[in-house]
Amino acid sequence: AGSASASSIRQVKLDRESELRIEVGSDSPLRLRLLSGNAEIFGTELPPEIWLTLPPRLKIAVFTWYGATLEMDGATETDYTADETPMIGYVNVHAILEARRSRARASSSDDPGSTQGPRVIVVGPTDSGKSTLSRMLLSWAAKQGWKPTFVDLDIGQGSITIPGCIAATPIELPIDPVEGIPLEMPLVYFYGHTTPSNNVDLYKVLVKELAQVLERQFTGNAESRAAGMVINTMGWIEGVGYELLLHAIDTLNANVVLVLGQEKLWSMLKDVLKNKPNVDVVKLQKSGGVVSRNAKFRQKARSYRIREYFYGPANDLSPHSNIANFSDLFIYRIGGGPQAPRSALPIGAEPAADPTRLVPVNINRDLLHLVLAVSFAKEPEEIISSNVAGFVYITDIDIQRKKITYLAPSAGELPGKYLIVGTLTWIET
Ligand code: ATP
């Protein structure tokens, strides 16, 4: 057996400024290590000689600035080396951001604008590498000692917490290529759906709430203010998607807009933002390594993400199944609700449902398999403006005994008594 496993180990030599692109197979993990030279995965350096275990389905690139030798152990879906990458362009952006951070830190002016570091927003179509570029910029900044704030507005495939949320967290260390972002205490708002069209107004309201909280935090923290933000966005860039991008740029006061992989979007944004002289709109090349993911893959990725929340990235957490009485939980839905029947409205009028109205939800079997958020709100009126503590998953509803069974990260009382439900479902596999 010893020789069999030894023979599955392969060496790969990378020339300077090239990368090894890997798609780990769907059945088994891949082991990888750096034998000599220097290399990084999306901005985070590989430690020398230590084997990393890359989980199934991970898609990554190991990039080297000056050359490296790697070893791989196990099968991959694909792996190949590429010497054409947009990395020089990306690291040049990083250098400009670094200069702005240092300038912000050194500024002694009373003008709040001059002590504010860069607020970078990364935009582009789906599968243009937005999350990956955000990650690199954050990891490179963290490596130089900054604690930039990562803001993730992507409710479809977020990197901070489960889908259906917008969230923010400071990044204090380069992001681990396997473990991702440590979930210490992210600031999370629950939107509850995986596409913004379900409730565009609610999405905007939540972005605004998040922006206000961050603004307050920056006021009291010169260091994180100077480090600035990196904002990742959704790949939805047409119609309402475009409107939401403009809304995010405006609400979060972004001053650097990085446009990946689409000339048209770049030119549109450049045009609408031309009367804001302090906003730079920069076009960047998309990496040929970015892997396209179809709807089915995305759905699966969402499901893994929820699983990961409850069971941990390495299946190392044990969630707890809890039983509560119907009367113990107060569940709300945001938006919609009972509408006036069309027949009761004047001719030609559309029934208008208030998109941010709070609607109490009766507990019934419709809640089965839904993922709900636990709000920090103390009163129902505070639900929309409150961030959430975590999530529960409804596994059983017993109508007769009026009992509800849910999975939570731990046993014991929930951190809040108000729960929010949307359309986010999960089938445990
Ligand atoms: P979306 O907004 O559509 O969800 P995105 O634009 O944020 O996607 P990413 O998530 O950054 O795109 O990239 C898509 C996938 O491609 C990810 O799995 C990422 O790890 C992988 N990827 C990105 N760059 C490379 C590369 N150079 N080599 C190999 N894989 C890569």
Side-chain angles (χ1 to χ4, degrees):
S3 65
S5 70
S7 66
S8 76
I9 295 183
R10 289 158 291 150
Q11 270 192 17
V12 182
K13 248 184 95 77
L14 286 178
D15 292 334
R16 57 179 301 148
E17 289 166 26
S18 68
E19 67 186 20
L20 171 64
R21 294 173 180 163
I22 304 172
E23 288 185 47
V24 182
S26 52
D27 300 324
S28 54
L30 175 78
R31 297 199 315 144
L32 174 92
R33 69 170 171 168
L34 174 67
L35 270 191
S36 64
N38 293 289
E40 56 184 54
I41 296 179
F42 301 150
T44 302
E45 276 189 280
L46 260 60
E49 288 179 49
I50 296 170
W51 284 104
L52 297 182
T53 302
L54 307 180
R57 289 173 301 272
L58 192 71
K59 303 169 197 333
I60 51 138
V62 188
F63 178 84
T64 180
W65 292 105
Y66 304 108
T69 305
L70 306 167
E71 258 184 358
M72 279 196 286
D73 179 13
T76 62
E77 185 84 32
T78 39
D79 61 87
Y80 66 98
T81 52
D83 57 9
E84 263 179 51
T85 77
M87 293 295 277
I88 299 272
Y90 294 177
V91 86
N92 283 340
V93 168
H94 164 70
I96 293 166
L97 301 178
E98 275 301 293
R100 292 201 186 176
R101 291 183 182 111
S102 302
R103 215 184 313 142
R105 183 166 56 192
S107 168
S108 52
S109 150
D110 287 338
D111 163 29
S114 67
T115 54
Q116 171 62 61
R119 294 188 174 191
V120 185
I121 186 164
V122 183
V123 307
T126 48
D127 297 321
S128 54
K130 296 179 295 300
S131 317
T132 305
L133 176 60
S134 303
R135 190 180 264 238
M136 284 186 221
L137 295 174
L138 290 161
S139 288
W140 285 331
K143 185 183 166 189
Q144 285 178 280
W146 298 99
K147 293 175 182 161
T149 300
F150 180 33
V151 179
D152 201 344
L153 303 181
D154 187 355
I155 49 178
Q157 309 275 323
S159 327
I160 297 179
T161 183
I162 68 165
C165 297
I166 62 169
T169 188
I171 300 296
E172 311 200 334
L173 291 169
I175 298 166
D176 187 291
V178 177
E179 308 269 310
I181 293 162
L183 280 187
E184 261 141 50
M185 261 303 259
L187 177 66
V188 179
Y189 289 85
F190 188 63
Y191 170 70
H193 317 280
T194 53
T195 96
S197 52
N198 284 51
N199 192 338
V200 173
D201 291 287
L202 175 62
Y203 184 86
K204 288 188 186 171
V205 167
L206 297 180
V207 172
K208 207 164 163 192
E209 290 293 339
L210 178 86
Q212 281 168 354
V213 172
L214 292 177
E215 210 65 67
R216 273 203 299 279
Q217 289 179 352
F218 281 146
T219 310
N221 187 336
E223 194 189 323
S224 79
R225 188 174 166 79
M229 309 179 187
V230 176
I231 307 157
N232 182 35
T233 61
M234 300 180 276
W236 204 30
I237 55 170
E238 309 272 334
V240 179
Y242 179 69
E243 187 199 311
L244 290 177
L245 282 183
L246 295 180
H247 177 262
I249 293 169
D250 192 48
T251 310
L252 288 152
N253 275 313
N255 50 26
V256 180
V257 183
L258 301 178
V259 188
L260 271 175
Q262 219 207 52
E263 199 87 19
K264 181 177 149 207
L265 180 62
W266 172 75
S267 107
M268 280 166 75
L269 287 172
K270 209 160 165 65
D271 195 49
V272 290
L273 296 169
K274 66 172 180 285
N275 44 16
K276 292 195 175 173
N278 61 335
V279 181
D280 295 316
V281 185
V282 181
K283 174 170 63 176
L284 285 173
Q285 203 194 322
K286 167 185 163 174
S287 166
V290 178
V291 183
S292 304
R293 296 158 299 170
N294 58 24
K296 195 170 155 219
F297 187 96
R298 282 169 192 276
Q299 177 55 44
K300 272 204 172 146
R302 283 200 274 274
S303 174
Y304 285 122
R305 202 78 181 108
I306 297 172
R307 199 193 144 73
E308 207 176 275
Y309 172 78
F310 290 106
Y311 289 93
N315 235 350
D316 49 350
L317 301 180
S318 15
H320 199 269
S321 187
N322 301 273
I323 299 178
N325 297 312
F326 283 8
S327 57
D328 296 339
L329 300 181
F330 300 89
I331 304 179
Y332 288 87
R333 182 158 47 87
I334 303 170
Q339 300 174 351
R342 227 170 253 274
S343 59
L345 293 170
I347 290 170
E350 283 297 311
D354 177 357
T356 55
R357 185 169 110 181
L358 210 55
V359 185
V361 172
N362 288 325
I363 300 182
N364 62 40
R365 289 189 61 85
D366 293 347
L367 291 172
L368 215 54
H369 305 308
L370 283 160
V371 178
L372 278 57
V374 182
S375 177
F376 275 124
K378 296 275 173 283
E379 300 295 333
E381 299 74 54
E382 295 173 356
I383 289 178
I384 291 178
S385 60
S386 296
N387 54 319
V388 302
F391 309 95
V392 298
Y393 172 59
I394 310 294
T395 55
D396 192 41
I397 305 271
D398 185 337
I399 301 285
Q400 246 105 64
R401 293 170 49 235
K402 295 199 183 316
K403 299 272 186 196
I404 180 165
T405 311
Y406 61 87
L407 198 67
S410 58
E413 218 170 305
L414 292 173
K417 66 175 174 177
Y418 299 113
L419 304 183
I420 315 167
V421 64
T423 54
L424 189 68
T425 53
W426 181 47
I427 302 294
E428 201 178 345
T429 44

